[in-house]
Amino acid sequence: MAAPKQDEFHPHPVKEQLPGVEFCITSPPPWPEAVLLGFQHYIVMLGTTVLIPSILVPQMGGGNDEKAKVIQTLLFVSGLNTLLQSYFGTRLPTVIGGSFTFIVPTVSIILSTKYNNVSDPHQRFLQTMRGIQGALIAASSFQIIIGFSGLWRNVVRYMSPLSAVPIITLAGLGLYARGFPGVAKCIEIGLPQIVLLILFSLYGPQLLEGRRALFDRSSVIISIAIVWVYAYILTLGGAYKSRPPLTQYHCRTDRAGLIGASPWIRVPYPFQWGSPTFDAGESFAMMAASFAALIESTGIMYAVSRYASATPVPPSVLSRGVGWQGIAILLDGMFGTVNGSTALAENAGLLALTRVGSRRVVQISAGFMLFFSVLGKFGAVFASIPLPIFAALYCIFFGYVASAGLGFLQFCNLNSFRTKFILGFAFFMGLSVPQYFNEFASVAGYGPVHTGARWFNDIVNVIFSSPATVAAIIAYFLDATLLRHDSATRRDRDTFKCKFELAMATLGLIFCALLLLFTSSVSGADTNWGESASARKYCVANPTADEKVLLGRIQYYCSSPLIDCKAIQPGEACFEPNTTYFHASVVFNIYYKFSHCAEDQCHHGDGSGMVITTDPSTPECHFV
């Protein structure tokens, strides 16, 4: 047989383990370098750890003191959970931390009417926290049972590389809203961070080959330090003195309020906020978030194993890791972190950037989490890094996670039209369906499923707002049922257990049918996939309310990252007419829609707001 010509294309060989990883899961780097890399993992996970309490705690009635304590608690529990996962769970170099998936049911608990009668902000914070703790403790049982019973092992056993690709890829791509939109909130800080990190990590090694390790493995710390100092100089120079409050919040290095509010030494402990309270509906809604986090974590753990140059993760090991992630959510509920836990995608991306997949490095990072959570003042210094810097890191790290999923395409038959349909449809729907749910919620203030049962609304809206979850359901179902008797399909899947796959697909169809039936019948309400003009209500300021009260309300709501008050800034659509009453009406209506149109949320407890049915929009300013 003639040898192939020099210029002919030759496919790259399939690699079950990723080559090029310098320190794999069981080969740690030298101790000094391992400590530096562990500290780098700690810095990277701080973004999520700070952002989630910053979003939720103000809505609960807490101030800077409560926010600092919640961040300390979340950091402490993340350290514990990372150690437990690395020693007893999957034993992969996975960092466990807060999850954005749990925000929707948590906000629903915060906005529950049963806390409206609590006038003291601190007491409202405590009671809301106890309700969230109870929901998390109850929801933890889902992953504990699914994981330790082996049920998730059975699901993963029948997941082929074709169905794994969308799950892993969208576990990274699905977080696109946390990337450049966060960078754009302070572009003069976020964009230099992206540029410097790419220069130091990718171009630096080409220029200085003798110091390659310095750039490859320390580029994150070096670039963050440079941009952080640059942001500090801008803050001291008065660059943001005349900028809008929201811009100052994102850009200034002294706006977090954490250093002054954090105690010097404080050890978080279980039930520090009081005894948890339990509500069945809230617990079921939190379980839906736990299910979505379970699928996202599965994708991220696959990416971690790939970047750690580990052998393919056995289903039993993955199921055990899910069980320990359930333990992590249980600890979240016991300590009161205001959020559930998941595997962090940003730290999985950091493994790829540094090409160090050592388990010891992640365990050292867990030590830093525990250390700085107890020494509050020192930890608060690093937690005060402007959030656009972290968003810049996400642009690169989430992309690495997505590319890990695409790497599994080498195990798929890309010449098959069946493969092309499943991949394309799962990817498209995994992005399109959550986009619809999120856009609907941003305009209407609630999700497309809006029945009389708040907990049921949260269950459906949480599941279908997760790109990885939507893609997983579609890809797994299609891969298990489409042309399953075809000989080529059997060869691609390398499995003979089609009866079980058919049973899983049938259960999926039954679940969807029950979901539709229950949606149309629960509480005698219809599913509001739209809203007629005659049914629209608006929340505006009460003309008889005192102007000082309205100004205080505007300042309070606009200080929350959840409420976007850009529309009433000078030059924006709702700035004119420039009156306190009109600006308060705009802000009140935004909060009213965000709180699922609950009339008691419009009254604010003092009658400063009122619900009307006449559209108060102006030609320039549109009320939704």
Side-chain angles (χ1 to χ4, degrees), residues 94-114:
T94 307
V95 175
I96 305 297
S99 171
F100 292 103
T101 305
F102 289 87
I103 287 182
V104 172
T106 303
V107 170
S108 181
I109 295 174
I110 293 172
L111 298 177
S112 176
T113 56
K114 61 185 176 183

Side-chain angles (χ1 to χ4, degrees), residues 310-616:
T311 55
V313 184
S316 59
V317 173
L318 199 57
S319 185
R320 186 179 67 211
V322 166
W324 279 101
Q325 188 166 287
I327 298 292
I329 298 175
L330 176 63
L331 292 177
D332 289 326
M334 294 174 60
F335 280 82
T337 63
V338 85
N339 193 248
S341 289
T342 188
L344 293 184
E346 53 265 40
N347 291 87
L350 182 58
L351 296 177
L353 184 75
T354 59
R355 284 178 282 179
V356 176
S358 169
R359 185 190 301 126
R360 178 182 294 175
V361 168
V362 167
Q363 292 169 344
I364 292 174
S365 74
F368 279 113
M369 298 175 208
L370 296 173
F371 177 78
F372 285 112
S373 65
V374 173
L375 300 179
K377 291 289 186 185
F378 296 99
V381 172
F382 298 108
S384 299
I385 298 174
L387 294 177
I389 293 180
F390 291 108
L393 302 180
Y394 298 159
C395 292
I396 297 173
F397 295 153
F398 294 162
Y400 267 125
V401 174
S403 65
L406 297 177
F408 279 77
L409 288 173
Q410 64 182 313
F411 308 113
C412 304
N413 180 11
L414 295 180
N415 293 317
S416 165
F417 280 99
R418 173 184 177 274
T419 299
K420 294 180 184 298
F421 168 72
I422 294 175
L423 284 177
F425 188 63
F427 273 121
F428 185 85
M429 296 302 289
L431 292 173
S432 184
V433 172
Q435 178 69 14
Y436 167 72
F437 272 73
N438 293 331
E439 281 188 0
F440 193 104
S442 65
V443 173
Y446 48 81
V449 179
H450 186 57
T451 70
R454 178 172 55 89
W455 61 272
F456 179 73
N457 303 337
D458 293 337
I459 289 175
V460 180
N461 293 328
V462 165
I463 291 176
F464 290 101
S465 295
S466 168
T469 304
V470 174
I473 294 172
I474 293 174
Y476 193 91
F477 173 77
L478 291 177
D479 191 33
T481 59
L482 188 60
L483 300 176
R484 66 186 187 89
H485 293 298
D486 188 81
S487 60
T489 301
R490 285 172 168 268
R491 185 173 63 253
D492 290 343
R493 288 187 54 81
D494 191 27
T495 180
F496 57 87
K497 309 170 183 76
C498 294
K499 291 184 178 180
F500 180 82
E501 295 173 345
L502 182 60
M504 291 293 294
T506 304
L507 287 175
L509 286 174
I510 293 174
F511 171 77
C512 292
L514 291 175
L515 191 65
L516 291 174
L517 289 173
F518 190 66
T519 302
S520 60
S521 62
V522 64
S523 300
D526 294 329
T527 303
N528 293 333
W529 297 94
E531 186 179 31
S532 63
S534 61
R536 291 176 183 166
K537 294 182 180 181
Y538 308 88
C539 178
V540 298
N542 192 328
T544 62
D546 185 81
E547 186 173 0
K548 291 183 179 179
V549 174
L550 296 179
L551 287 172
R553 291 289 180 186
I554 293 174
Q555 184 178 8
Y556 174 75
Y557 290 131
C558 292
S559 64
S560 169
L562 289 174
I563 307 299
D564 186 4
C565 296
K566 183 181 178 181
I568 63 174
Q569 298 296 327
E572 299 295 336
C574 297
F575 180 71
E576 297 291 347
N578 185 15
T579 64
T580 302
Y581 169 78
F582 186 74
H583 289 178
S585 297
V586 173
V587 175
F588 285 6
N589 192 64
I590 294 173
Y591 179 73
Y592 175 66
K593 297 297 182 180
F594 180 78
S595 60
H596 306 286
C597 297
E599 293 199 12
D600 50 354
Q601 296 291 340
C602 179
H603 298 151
H604 309 294
D606 56 7
S608 57
M610 55 186 293
V611 176
I612 62 174
T613 56
T614 304
D615 190 351

Side-chain angles (χ1 to χ4, degrees), residues 133-175:
Q133 286 183 261
L136 286 171
I137 291 173
S140 67
S141 61
F142 176 79
Q143 289 199 29
I144 291 175
I145 294 173
I146 290 291
F148 289 132
S149 67
L151 290 176
W152 194 243
R153 175 194 62 203
N154 292 331
V155 173
V156 175
R157 281 177 60 198
Y158 300 94
M159 185 167 65
S160 71
L162 176 58
S163 55
V165 169
I167 300 174
I168 305 169
T169 303
L170 290 187
L173 283 186
L175 297 169

